[in-house]
Amino acid sequence: TAMVYMTGILGGYVADRLLGYQRSIMLGGVLMALGMFMLMSPNLEMFLLGLAVVVVGNGLFKPNISTMVGKLYAPGDARRDSGFTIFYMGINAGALVAPIICASWIGAKYGFRWGLFTAGIGMILGLMMFQAFKAWLGQVGTAPAGKTGYGPLVQVLVGSAVLVVPVYFLLSQSDVLGMLLIVMMLALVAYFIYSGISSGSKEQLHRYIAMMILFAANILFWALFEQAGSSLNFLARDYVNMPTIFGQTLHFSIFQSVNPVFILLLAPVFAAMWPALDSRNINPSIPRKFAYGLIAAAIGFYVLVFAIEHFVGENGRISWTWLTLTYLIHTMGELCLSPIGLAMVTKLARPEETGFAMGGWFLSIAMANFV
């Protein structure tokens, strides 16, 4: 999970300088689908190689879609935060449906390799949709001047194949990965400080310093939040009484869809709230929104601590409602921080470095996953 976000900084650079955002997304999606199909193999080495291909593909995919959303808005457009919130709803519509189909239904019933196969097919359908409607984007995300044609595409494909090798190695070398992440974060800070100074604008330097401070807050938030896929998932499996619907006890993996449900319900509320507050000159600053996110992460975990101290049943389990409440509070924190952070990067970075800066945002999430 750390490396899935870590490769985004390379993907952002490739999109800025070589492929453009649209072609980077298509190539990344193809690699991710290929990786999903490789995960079906019963052979451990092939499975790990599939994970490495997914990691590299996501590096080309994830940061560049986010960057394109930012480029749809003019600088200073108050709708940008709301635009990113709506974009976030799209992400979470997929995050809601995917675990139900791939894990709770097909994976649990027919075997998880077929759940992974379904994920690969879903990726291909997504790419077909993107290709069909990309004309709506106009010139946003097209190839940089002088970088059209197949030459840059072949270069990036070869580079991706080469990158799979160290990623495969790092899957089993957590200590090395940790040191690499620290070095990359320090290099990122140094680069943006240098870029701010060389721009000749004190304002741009201050923007980059602010961005680095918010990256640090981002690491702390996601280190807590990303336990949803690990420790909270094991908690649901081993220590939570699962609800029963129509006589069927739900599979514990259904909790992976709880956060997206709350995102879809609450994101329109938050998207409408920020411009409304802005019109009254009481819209919280970006750092204050980040603080609200961190407070919500803390409160969410305290709910579980409280339940474990006071409401454990005779079977050693707590009610599913406590874990659901934790996810609700964490989701509210996420909506104060994550779409706002994506918008923040596109506001504070120089236009020619937006993709690289977005890769830096995802690198901070990589560090969070490692932590």
Side-chain angles (χ1 to χ4, degrees):
T1 53
M3 284 193 288
V4 155
Y5 290 99
M6 177 176 157
T7 48
I9 196 158
L10 291 174
Y13 180 85
V14 163
D16 283 341
R17 306 295 171 89
L18 289 173
L19 286 187
Y21 303 105
Q22 293 187 19
R23 290 199 298 175
S24 296
I25 287 163
M26 289 299 293
L27 180 58
V30 168
L31 289 174
M32 278 199 283
L34 175 64
M36 286 293 172
F37 295 137
M38 293 169 72
L39 293 178
M40 295 177 66
S41 172
N43 178 278
L44 178 61
E45 300 303 316
M46 181 60 74
F47 182 88
L48 294 173
L49 195 61
L51 283 181
V53 173
V54 169
V55 164
V56 173
N58 194 65
L60 286 166
F61 189 94
K62 189 167 181 63
N64 295 320
I65 285 193
S66 304
T67 301
M68 277 207 306
V69 174
K71 288 185 178 294
L72 294 171
Y73 294 90
D77 193 328
R79 297 172 301 169
R80 185 187 297 246
D81 285 5
S82 297
F84 268 100
T85 305
I86 295 166
F87 165 65
Y88 216 65
M89 288 175 67
I91 295 171
N92 281 278
L96 163 62
V97 174
I100 294 173
I101 294 175
C102 298
S104 303
W105 172 34
I106 292 175
K109 190 170 183 180
Y110 302 105
F112 282 101
R113 61 197 301 256
W114 294 109
L116 296 164
F117 174 79
T118 308
I121 295 297
M123 188 72 244
I124 291 170
L125 291 173
L127 291 174
M128 290 168 63
M129 189 72 75
F130 182 78
Q131 187 65 28
F133 291 102
K134 71 177 184 181
W136 291 7
L137 296 168
Q139 291 302 304
V140 173
T142 53
K147 296 296 183 180
T148 55
Y150 289 105
L153 201 60
V154 172
Q155 282 179 289
V156 174
L157 195 55
V158 171
S160 298
V162 171
L163 186 60
V164 165
V165 177
V167 169
Y168 175 85
F169 166 75
L170 287 169
L171 282 169
S172 60
Q173 301 291 330
S174 284
D175 292 343
V176 178
L177 175 61
M179 288 302 300
L180 183 59
L181 277 166
I182 290 168
V183 169
M184 288 178 71
M185 284 301 300
L186 292 174
L188 184 80
V189 171
Y191 173 84
F192 280 116
I193 297 298
Y194 170 77
S195 179
I197 294 170
S198 64
S199 71
S201 165
K202 184 179 283 190
E203 182 186 0
Q204 186 59 53
L205 175 61
H206 289 171
R207 284 180 171 188
Y208 277 149
I209 291 171
M211 192 168 77
M212 294 302 107
I213 293 169
L214 293 174
F215 279 9
N218 196 46
I219 290 170
L220 182 56
F221 176 82
W222 289 105
L224 299 169
F225 185 93
E226 291 283 35
Q227 292 185 59
S230 54
S231 59
L232 292 186
N233 214 19
F234 294 129
L235 181 82
R237 185 189 67 183
D238 299 331
Y239 298 107
V240 172
N241 288 318
M242 297 301 297
T244 300
I245 297 179
F246 303 124
Q248 292 287 320
T249 301
L250 296 181
H251 195 259
F252 75 90
S253 61
I254 201 75
F255 269 104
Q256 296 306 295
S257 292
V258 170
N259 165 249
V261 167
F262 287 138
I263 289 281
L264 290 170
L265 291 173
L266 295 175
V269 177
F270 278 74
M273 182 173 67
W274 303 134
L277 293 175
D278 195 62
S279 67
R280 294 172 175 81
N281 293 319
I282 53 173
N283 191 11
S285 65
I286 291 175
R288 184 162 290 185
K289 288 174 183 174
F290 270 57
Y292 294 156
L294 288 166
I295 290 166
I299 294 171
F301 277 111
Y302 181 70
V303 164
L304 286 180
V305 172
F306 181 78
I308 290 166
E309 285 182 345
H310 300 288
F311 290 96
V312 175
E314 291 181 3
N315 61 354
R317 293 171 176 257
I318 60 172
S319 169
W320 62 270
T321 54
W322 291 107
L323 184 53
T324 303
L325 180 58
T326 291
Y327 276 114
L328 171 61
I329 297 168
H330 280 184
T331 300
M332 293 170 75
E334 181 185 1
L335 284 168
C336 287
L337 182 140
S338 189
I340 306 306
L342 293 171
M344 173 271 296
V345 170
T346 63
K347 284 179 187 174
L348 298 184
R350 293 161 71 181
E352 65 271 21
E353 292 176 331
T354 310
F356 189 63
M358 192 63 74
W361 169 260
F362 289 116
L363 181 63
S364 71
I365 301 179
M367 179 61 89
N369 275 271
F370 182 78
V371 171

